[in-house]
Amino acid sequence: MPPLDMSGKPVSFFEFWPGWVFYAPVALQWIWNGLKYRSFGLPLVANPGIELSGMVGESKDAILSLAGETAKPWILPYIMWEKTAMPPETQAHQALTALHQAGLGFPVVAKPDLGCRGAGVRLVENKGELEEYLRLFPDGARLMLQEKAPYNAEAGVFYVRYPGQDKGQIFSMTLKYNPFVVGDGESNLAQLIDEDSRAGKLSHLYRSRHEDKLDLVLAKGETFRLAFAGSHSRGAIFRDGRDYISEALVERLDEIFDDFPGYYYGRIDLKFRDIASLMRGEDFVLLEVNGASSEAAHIWDRGATIKSAFSTLLAQYRMLFEIGNLQRKAGHKVPSLMDLYRAWRKEKALVRDYPSTD
């Protein structure tokens, strides 16, 4: 990863506003575009290969399963598992057998099939941790057990291609950094979190996640990672990566998404060897492919302005309506907003019962 500069202001003044406040202009624009195009549901058909275009309640597995033979090698391998009422010990044993049959083993990343913003994502390094994850996971819900990436560097790449076009565009690139604190040999973890310029502003996230380690005193120079999941709402640090967007990477994504029928718009979460390799379109793996509700996450860079953030979001949803309108003209049926509401209710109920996030 490019070096992380932590000098200057730790967060932007709007970085952790409530979502309903931040998205108010988007809601107003949605109403305007709905009247303009005579349909409020066009964003729900922009990606016709995905249920509700991936606006809410989309299955990670269903999206990744769109990949054909050209695209599959770029996806980090995984298996799916449905939680049942059987004892967690039994299911962990069965899941481990399925992992071995797929050529996988520990460590794996466990994550819900339906979920957003890093909900329920954990690094699982042994059978005991898998049993604990299954014990906490809601019955009847599906989860993904995905191979831990061979690379540590992570980015969110927002890719858009209009129907009928041979070439797409990278609308946004965001570099994702795991936050950490460094021990001084005297302070405990709670003190290190509170005294850190950025972590101190998010202490409610980090303290609750590591409440069993808050009294731990780190040796001088010892680092402690505060978050594993590359999600801003879970405490990851985001930086604008637009300077690293390259023609070679666009061409590689065009090649991959030529083999993803029904996908035109969204953010690809990936891990890569190093920034130079990524710019060459090489040595990276896809963790997830997200749909219509994706954010161009560079807006959470501390240096972003409120004007640029709103401008980005409004441009996103303008494109979403334009693509949805083209899909409607191509004969795709537009779902109703009631379909969206039902899916949102289902996802919300599940997310409430997911295990905590690493």
Side-chain angles (χ1 to χ4, degrees):
M1 293 280 276
L4 176 62
D5 180 7
M6 291 298 290
S7 62
K9 63 180 182 180
V11 298
S12 68
F13 77 93
F14 60 86
E15 196 170 333
F16 293 98
W17 281 4
W20 65 269
V21 175
F22 201 79
Y23 272 83
V26 173
L28 293 175
Q29 186 201 45
W30 189 305
I31 294 171
W32 165 254
N33 280 323
L35 295 172
K36 175 183 176 181
Y37 289 104
R38 299 182 180 180
S39 173
F40 292 99
L42 287 181
L44 308 182
V45 77
N47 293 318
I50 307 173
E51 185 177 1
L52 298 177
S53 193
M55 182 60 72
V56 69
E58 71 273 22
S59 160
K60 296 178 177 66
D61 177 47
I63 297 176
L64 294 177
S65 294
L66 294 173
E69 295 306 311
T70 299
K72 281 180 181 177
W74 294 93
I75 298 172
L76 200 60
Y78 66 91
I79 66 165
M80 298 302 300
W81 193 260
E82 183 172 328
K83 168 70 182 301
T84 68
M86 294 177 65
E89 297 82 4
T90 302
Q91 291 193 68
H93 178 76
Q94 294 173 340
L96 187 54
T97 299
L99 281 169
H100 289 160
Q101 290 173 345
L104 304 176
F106 295 121
V108 294
V109 177
K111 61 181 82 171
D113 185 38
L114 301 183
C116 60
R117 298 184 182 274
V121 177
R122 284 193 183 184
L123 179 64
V124 174
E125 301 191 89
N126 54 57
K127 187 179 178 183
E129 291 181 357
L130 180 56
E131 289 177 6
E132 175 67 6
Y133 189 84
L134 289 169
R135 184 182 68 79
L136 297 172
F137 205 77
D139 288 352
R142 297 175 78 231
L143 61 118
M144 174 184 289
L145 296 174
Q146 189 172 46
E147 178 183 306
K148 185 176 182 292
Y151 315 126
N152 289 321
E154 185 171 353
V157 180
F158 203 104
Y159 177 82
V160 179
R161 187 193 303 199
Y162 280 71
Q165 292 186 347
D166 295 328
K167 186 175 177 59
Q169 62 170 303
I170 294 178
F171 177 71
S172 162
M173 182 188 290
T174 307
L175 302 177
K176 303 181 179 184
Y177 294 84
N178 295 124
F180 62 90
V181 290
V182 181
D184 58 10
E186 298 178 1
S187 304
N188 62 29
L189 181 59
Q191 293 168 325
L192 292 173
I193 290 172
D194 292 342
E195 292 168 4
D196 185 87
S197 61
R198 185 178 190 277
K201 296 181 179 298
L202 303 175
S203 60
H204 61 289
L205 289 178
Y206 303 136
R207 276 175 163 267
S208 60
R209 183 175 300 148
H210 303 293
E211 60 182 350
D212 60 331
K213 302 182 182 69
L214 293 178
D215 293 328
L216 176 67
V217 176
L218 301 180
K220 188 172 183 179
E222 181 183 358
T223 60
F224 186 96
R225 185 171 63 184
L226 298 173
F228 171 74
S231 171
H232 181 263
S233 63
R234 307 294 169 177
I237 301 171
F238 283 11
R239 292 289 187 263
D240 191 340
R242 73 180 73 186
D243 291 343
Y244 303 101
I245 297 173
S246 68
E247 186 62 28
L249 181 56
V250 174
E251 290 176 357
R252 180 67 73 190
L253 293 181
D254 285 340
E255 175 188 319
I256 292 171
F257 288 100
D258 278 343
D259 202 29
F260 252 83
Y263 186 82
Y264 295 86
Y265 174 105
R267 191 188 68 247
I268 301 105
D269 293 328
L270 54 83
K271 289 206 169 187
F272 56 94
R273 181 184 299 279
D274 57 65
I275 197 67
S277 296
L278 183 63
M279 293 177 71
R280 293 194 301 271
E282 302 171 350
D283 300 325
F284 66 86
V285 289
L286 306 185
L287 306 177
E288 295 181 14
V289 175
N290 305 282
S293 63
S294 303
E295 285 177 337
H298 72 271
I299 63 175
W300 305 122
D301 184 308
R302 63 180 182 176
T305 65
I306 188 68
K307 179 180 179 181
S308 67
F310 280 144
S311 177
T312 296
L313 287 174
L314 294 176
Q316 274 188 233
Y317 281 83
R318 182 174 62 250
M319 290 189 293
L320 197 53
F321 266 91
E322 290 170 351
I323 294 172
N325 186 46
L326 292 173
Q327 302 290 20
R328 178 176 61 176
K329 289 179 179 179
H332 294 287
K333 183 180 178 181
V334 179
S336 70
L337 293 183
M338 183 55 68
D339 293 331
L340 179 67
Y341 175 72
R342 293 192 189 101
W344 174 77
R345 287 287 302 271
K346 178 182 178 181
E347 181 181 275
K348 186 177 181 181
L350 281 171
V351 168
R352 185 176 58 243
D353 294 331
Y354 287 153
S356 60
T357 300
D358 280 349

